[in-house]
Amino acid sequence: MVSQISIIAGRGRDGRCDRIERLDLNMGDVVSVVGRTGSGKTTLINDIELFADGDTPTGRRILFDGVPAAPEDRDDPSRNPIALITQHTTFLSDLPVTEFLVTHARIRARSQAAAQALVAETLMFANQLTGEPINPGSRMTELSGGQTRALLIADATVICDTPIVLLDEVENAGINRTRALELLRRHKRIFIFVTHDPRIALLSDRRIVMSEGRITDVLETDEEEQAVAPAVTRLDDMLSHLRERLRGGLRVSRADLEVA
Amino acid sequence: MKLGIFAGPATTGKTAVIRHILTRLHNRGLAAAFLKIDVQFAEEDEQLAAEFGIPTRKVYSGELCPDHCNVMVLGDALAWAERSKAEVLLVETAGLCLRCSPYVDGGLGVVVLEATSGMNLPLKVGPMLSLADVAVVTKIDRVSQAEREVFRARIQDAAPEVAVREVNALHGIGIDPLVTRLLNYPDVSKNMLLRGNPPVGTCTICVGKKEIGWQAHFGVVRSLENQSFYRGE
Ligand SMILES: Nc1nc2c(ncn2[C@@H]2O[C@H](COP(=O)(O)OP(=O)(O)OP(=O)(O)O)[C@@H](O)[C@H]2O)c(=O)[nH]1
Ligand SMILES: Nc1ncnc2c1ncn2[C@@H]1O[C@H](COP(=O)(O)OP(=O)(O)OP(=O)(O)O)[C@@H](O)[C@H]1O
Ligand SMILES: [Mg+2]
Ligand SMILES: [Mg+2]
Ligand SMILES: [Zn+2]
Ligand SMILES: [Zn+2]
C-alpha cells in the first residue's frame, strides 16, 4: 500500500519552474490546491493521476514511496493507488448505472466476490449526498450533475478504495458538501482537494498555491487560520441552511441567520 | 524496417497518435515514411510531409475493401519506403470494413478507439480490434477516470488478448510505451501474411444480381432468421 507521494518540480505555462523542488505528501495528509481559474490546478492533479514522468506538458514527475510507478500499475486498475474525481459532471457512457458500477467493481476490486456488495454500498453512499436518490436502472447519461458527482465520489471511496484520493472542485454540482467531507474523512487517505471553497481550504493541513500553471507557494495552515476555521464553518453552514430552505421551496427569515 | 498499421473509426485520433510517434522517432534519429489508405478522400499525406519533411503517400481504395487494398499495395509500399531510406513505415487506414483486419503478421497492429464513443463500440468493431496487438484509447482527457476504466474493461471483455494503452493524443501523454513496442517488434520479412482469415464476403449481389430476397441468390445467403456474425477467426 502506497503511503507517500512526491511531486517533483516541473514548469508552468511561462516556462518558469515550480517554486518547490520536491513536495512529499504522507498518509493522512489533507491538502488543497488553490488558485485562480486557469491557474493549472486541474493540470496538477492530472499529473498525479497520469503518474507523470516528464511526459506531460508540465514536465513534472510523480513518485510513489520514493520511486516512479511500475508500468504494470499504470495498466492495471486493480493496482492503481489513485482515485480521481474529475471536474466533469457529465457522463458519456450509455450504460445503466448498475452495469457501469458492476463493471468498474470487477476490474477495481481485489476480490471478485466483493464486487456485488460494493455496488450496493456505492449506491447507498451516493444517495446520502444527493437530493433525489439515484435509480440504479437509469442510464449514466440521464443522471443530473449532482447525482453524477455523488456517484463518482461514492465510486472513488467504495469501489476504488485507494490510498490516494484526488477531488476536483467537490463543492460544485450541488451535492451535500458537508456530508461528503464527513464521509470522506472517515477513511484514512492522502486527500488532495482542488478547491475555491474557503471552508475546504482551511480544513486542510496545507495548501498548494498555483498561478500561470506553476506551483508558486505551499502554505501550512497556521494557528491563526486554524482559529478562524470554525467561524468560517459556521458561516458556511448558515449559507447551506439558507440554500436548503430556498431549494425546498421554503421562505427564509432573519432567524435563519442565527441557525447553525 | 519496422512496420506499424493503425486502423480505427473516423476521427478517433489515428493521425494525432501518429504525429506524436513521428516526433519521437525523429528525436531518436530514425527515418520514417507514412502511407494513408482511405476510400475517397484524405490529406494526411500532405500534412505530415509538410510537418515532418518525411516521404508520404496515399492510396484511395475506391471500390475495393480498404483492408484488402492495404494488402494489395503493402508490398509496393515497403519497397517504396526502403528506397526512401525509411527505417519505419507507418500506415494509417480508414478501418471502414468491419469484417476484415488490416493487420499483417510482421507488423505492429494498432486499433485506435476513442474513450468518448459508446461503451458498446468494442463489441462492434470485430477483427479490427480482436486481431490488433494494441488498442490505443484516445481522448481520455474528455472522460472521468471511472469511465475510462470501464471502457478498458469493455475492450478486454471483447478482446482479452489485446493490450490496452490509454493516451491523450492532444498532448502526447502515454505515447512512449507505444513507440517502444513498435521498435521492439521484429523487422518486416519478405513473406508476410494478412492476419486472420478473410471473411467469405462475396455474394451474388457483389457480382451484379440485384433481386431482393435471399431466395433469388445462391452461394453465401442469409435469411432474417439465420444470424451469425463474423469475429475475425
Ligand atoms: N481532446 C482530445 N482530442 C483529440 C485526442 N486525439 C485526437 N483528438 C482530436 O480529434 C480530432 C480527430 O483527430 P484525427 O487524428 O484527425 O483523427 P483520425 O482518426 O486521423 O481521423 P480520420 O483520418 O479523418 O478518420 C482532432 O480534432 C484531434 O485534435 C485526444 O486524445 N483528446
Ligand atoms: N505547467 C503547465 N504547462 C503548460 N500548460 C499548462 C500548465 N498548467 C496548466 N496548463 C494549461 O492551462 C490551462 C488551464 O489549466 P487548468 O485547467 O489546470 O486550470 P484550473 O486551475 O483547473 O482552472 P479552473 O479553476 O477553471 O478549473 C489548460 O489548458 C492547461 O493545459
Ligand atoms: Mg480545473
Ligand atoms: Mg487521419
Ligand atoms: Zn473488408
Ligand atoms: Zn456481396
Side-chain angles (χ1 to χ4, degrees):
Chain A
M1 184 85 119
V2 176
S3 64
Q4 185 197 56
I5 55 172
S6 312
I7 302 169
I8 310 293
R11 291 165 307 278
R13 268 196 303 270
D14 54 2
R16 289 167 67 200
C17 286
D18 285 324
R19 247 309 260 300
I20 42 98
E21 252 169 60
R22 171 176 172 144
L23 180 63
D24 295 330
L25 308 177
N26 295 304
M27 183 47 70
D29 282 359
V30 179
V31 180
S32 53
V33 181
V34 299
R36 290 192 191 83
T37 185
S39 59
K41 302 182 294 296
T42 298
T43 306
L44 176 67
I45 62 165
N46 279 343
D47 278 346
I48 299 175
E49 198 264 338
L50 290 164
F51 303 169
D53 192 18
D55 57 351
T56 65
T58 66
R60 289 190 190 108
R61 290 171 54 226
I62 305 301
L63 305 181
F64 296 86
D65 290 333
V67 292
E72 309 83 71
D73 293 350
R74 290 177 177 232
D75 288 340
D76 180 357
S78 72
R79 292 171 175 224
N80 191 336
I82 291 178
L84 166 68
I85 297 137
T86 43
Q87 228 168 338
H88 297 273
T89 45
T90 48
F91 272 112
L92 301 163
S93 168
D94 39 13
L95 293 179
V97 171
T98 312
E99 192 177 351
F100 184 92
L101 294 178
V102 167
T103 311
H104 200 210
R106 182 157 59 74
I107 62 166
R108 268 285 186 167
R110 282 150 210 86
S111 112
Q112 294 311 310
Q116 282 295 341
L118 286 180
V119 171
E121 199 186 329
T122 304
L123 282 166
M124 245 165 57
F125 188 121
N127 285 336
Q128 295 184 59
L129 305 180
T130 55
E132 311 271 323
I134 295 167
N135 171 4
S138 59
R139 301 200 164 265
M140 299 288 285
T141 41
E142 292 166 15
L143 301 182
S144 72
Q147 287 177 323
T148 305
R149 181 58 64 105
L151 196 65
L152 284 173
I153 292 177
D155 173 273
T157 315
V158 180
I159 291 181
C160 298
D161 190 21
T162 51
I164 302 156
V165 179
L166 314 174
L167 292 106
D168 203 346
E169 300 194 19
V170 64
E171 63 266 27
N172 286 347
I175 58 160
N176 187 334
R177 200 163 29 101
T178 317
R179 188 89 183 106
L181 286 180
E182 196 184 295
L183 286 174
L184 281 167
R185 294 196 64 168
R186 278 188 200 162
H187 304 255
K188 196 170 162 72
R189 305 272 153 96
I190 299 176
F191 282 111
I192 304 180
F193 292 98
V194 168
T195 189
H196 294 285
D197 182 326
R199 176 180 189 165
I200 298 175
L202 289 176
L203 238 156
S204 41
D205 306 314
R206 47 186 153 160
R207 47 190 194 272
I208 299 173
V209 186
M210 306 291 304
S211 168
E212 292 182 56
R214 69 191 189 99
I215 300 175
T216 52
D217 215 344
V218 178
L219 300 173
E220 302 289 327
T221 306
D222 66 19
E223 267 173 40
E224 182 159 2
E225 285 168 342
Q226 282 168 10
V228 167
V232 173
T233 300
R234 273 195 305 281
L235 278 172
D236 190 59
D237 283 343
M238 185 189 72
L239 282 173
S240 302
H241 168 78
L242 290 174
R243 194 177 299 122
E244 279 311 312
R245 285 192 67 86
L246 291 167
R247 276 212 289 218
L250 301 173
R251 297 206 169 271
V252 296
S253 67
R254 257 174 234 286
D256 289 305
L257 301 181
E258 313 300 322
V259 178
Chain B
M1 167 117 49
K2 305 287 183 192
L3 171 65
I5 298 180
F6 295 76
T11 70
T12 51
K14 299 179 290 296
T15 309
V17 168
I18 286 173
R19 269 201 181 87
H20 287 289
I21 294 178
L22 287 173
T23 306
R24 284 162 178 73
L25 292 177
H26 175 84
N27 291 344
R28 293 184 190 214
L30 288 165
F34 171 80
L35 169 69
K36 166 83 194 207
I37 299 169
D38 215 318
V39 178
Q40 50 190 9
F41 177 78
E43 50 188 9
E44 283 91 340
D45 56 328
E46 289 152 41
Q47 292 167 352
L48 297 181
E51 285 168 43
F52 293 93
I54 56 167
T56 65
R57 297 280 299 259
K58 78 175 150 227
V59 180
Y60 291 137
S61 60
E63 61 288 345
L64 212 56
C65 158
D67 293 344
H68 294 183
C69 177
N70 173 41
V71 179
M72 293 276 186
V73 303
L74 196 57
D76 289 349
L78 285 164
W80 159 74
E82 195 84 49
R83 282 197 308 279
S84 315
K85 305 263 183 301
E87 293 153 287
V88 182
L89 172 63
L90 300 182
V91 180
E92 174 180 340
T93 157
L96 289 172
C97 181
L98 300 179
R99 306 171 305 170
C100 307
S101 120
Y103 316 118
V104 298
D105 289 330
L108 183 72
V110 181
V111 62
V112 180
L113 303 174
E114 52 189 0
T116 49
S117 64
M119 287 291 172
N120 289 328
L121 186 82
L123 302 172
K124 294 179 180 172
V125 291
M128 182 158 69
L129 169 61
S130 58
L131 295 180
D133 296 298
V134 191
V136 168
V137 178
T138 57
K139 309 193 185 179
I140 57 170
D141 51 309
R142 305 272 310 279
V143 299
S144 61
Q145 184 194 44
E147 242 180 320
R148 189 184 83 204
E149 291 179 357
V150 170
F151 193 64
R152 167 185 278 271
R154 303 287 285 189
I155 293 176
Q156 287 174 336
D157 289 346
E161 306 298 322
V162 179
V164 180
R165 174 112 289 284
E166 290 144 348
V167 308
N168 170 339
L170 276 190
H171 291 134
I173 299 164
I175 300 283
D176 291 323
L178 197 57
V179 176
T180 308
R181 216 176 237 276
L182 176 68
L183 296 180
N184 287 343
Y185 217 82
D187 285 322
V188 293
S189 62
K190 277 271 170 290
N191 304 309
M192 294 190 300
L193 288 180
L194 175 66
R195 221 178 264 185
N197 297 319
V200 186
T202 313
C203 65
T204 34
I205 299 162
C206 295
V207 298
K209 227 168 131 28
K210 298 205 277 190
E211 288 87 345
I212 306 295
W214 61 269
Q215 293 86 346
H217 295 273
F218 53 87
V220 181
V221 291
R222 167 85 36 91
S223 69
L224 188 59
E225 303 309 326
N226 157 25
Q227 302 272 341
S228 71
F229 284 103
Y230 184 66
R231 290 246 166 264
E233 277 291 38

